[in-house]
Amino acid sequence: MDSGAPEPSLYTVKALFILDNDDNRLLAKYYDPKLYPSMKEQRNFEKHVFNKTHKTDSEIAFLEGMTIVYKSSIDLFLYVVGSANENELMLMTVLNCLSESLNLMLRKNVEKRSLVENLDGVFLVVDEIVDGGVILESDPQQVIQKVNFKGDDSPLSEQSVAQVIRETSPFEKTLSLGLGSPSERSAVVQTRVNSG
């Protein structure tokens, strides 16, 4: 192996950010703390990237020693950043998964207002796709399933009664019916809270 070639790494994604069409940051995750350690440096990088990419039709750019893949949607710009020697297809896979996951989550209404209204879900989607720079998932259906995002307006944290019953052990069901001592019921509740 050539000693000048970089070692392969699971840490593929250096940063991922979403800007609106006025260059305002809506979401940003920087996975390499050495890349742009301060908020000012991050915003300068994002501004530079936006200025170079917002009027072009291509999907890839090489700026400041970074490989950047990007996509626009109505009034949003989605960016995935990797090192200069990173495989563009891997970065594009992350970008496409992010785009399609948002499309599914926001019911094909991927625009600034919808994104801001569902920002908690958007962060969950991003965290399911990339964690610490490592690509975890590339299938949008799996991402949406993992974040348990409902197509209706119910909050992400609520569970249906049927889900709770399915996940409840027979012992817990017995205790929930009032059988068993109060200390046993309390222990089960505490276990459910700690595991959930």
Side-chain angles (χ1 to χ4, degrees):
M1 180 180 236
D2 182 12
S3 63
E7 288 292 319
S9 173
L10 289 175
Y11 300 96
T12 307
V13 179
K14 299 291 184 190
L16 185 150
F17 52 92
I18 302 174
L19 307 176
D20 69 7
N21 58 357
D22 295 322
D23 184 31
N24 296 312
R25 176 194 278 192
L26 301 175
L27 178 145
K29 296 276 241 172
Y30 284 79
Y31 301 106
D32 185 350
K34 294 178 239 164
L35 184 60
Y36 298 104
S38 73
M39 180 73 76
K40 183 178 180 181
E41 290 173 308
Q42 291 174 7
R43 285 299 296 142
N44 286 340
F45 173 68
E46 292 165 13
K47 185 174 288 297
H48 183 101
V49 169
F50 181 79
N51 288 336
K52 294 288 185 184
T53 61
H54 78 282
K55 292 183 180 178
T56 63
D57 289 333
S58 63
E59 296 178 332
I60 188 166
F62 297 98
L63 297 169
E64 298 184 20
M66 297 286 146
T67 302
I68 303 160
V69 294
Y70 58 96
K71 186 181 279 196
S72 65
S73 173
I74 303 175
D75 57 354
L76 299 174
F77 289 86
L78 313 173
Y79 296 93
V80 177
V81 181
S83 65
N85 55 2
E86 196 55 65
N87 184 333
E88 297 89 1
L89 295 175
M90 293 295 289
L91 297 175
M92 190 57 80
T93 299
V94 171
L95 181 65
N96 288 335
C97 183
L98 174 63
S99 176
E100 289 302 312
S101 296
L102 293 177
N103 196 31
L104 290 169
M105 186 180 87
L106 301 174
R107 294 183 216 102
K108 301 184 189 264
N109 191 22
V110 183
E111 50 92 25
K112 181 179 177 179
R113 187 180 59 80
S114 294
L115 186 117
V116 170
E117 288 173 358
N118 295 285
L119 203 53
D120 55 344
V122 175
F123 272 103
L124 290 174
V125 164
V126 169
D127 289 343
E128 281 300 324
I129 298 170
V130 178
D131 184 28
V134 177
I135 301 170
L136 298 178
E137 186 61 68
S138 61
D139 180 5
Q141 295 288 339
Q142 289 294 315
V143 170
I144 294 301
Q145 185 178 355
K146 286 179 183 177
V147 299
N148 197 22
F149 192 81
K150 307 279 189 278
D152 58 10
D153 293 332
S154 63
L156 292 175
S157 60
E158 289 184 12
Q159 287 184 314
S160 70
V161 174
Q163 285 174 314
V164 172
I165 290 171
R166 272 195 309 269
E167 295 171 3
T168 305
S169 72
F171 179 68
E172 291 172 318
K173 288 177 187 172
T174 302
L175 292 177
S176 68
L177 294 173
L179 305 173
S181 70
S183 62
E184 289 174 319
R185 287 194 300 268
S186 176
V188 168
V189 170
Q190 188 62 38
T191 303
R192 296 280 294 165
V193 168
N194 291 339
S195 67

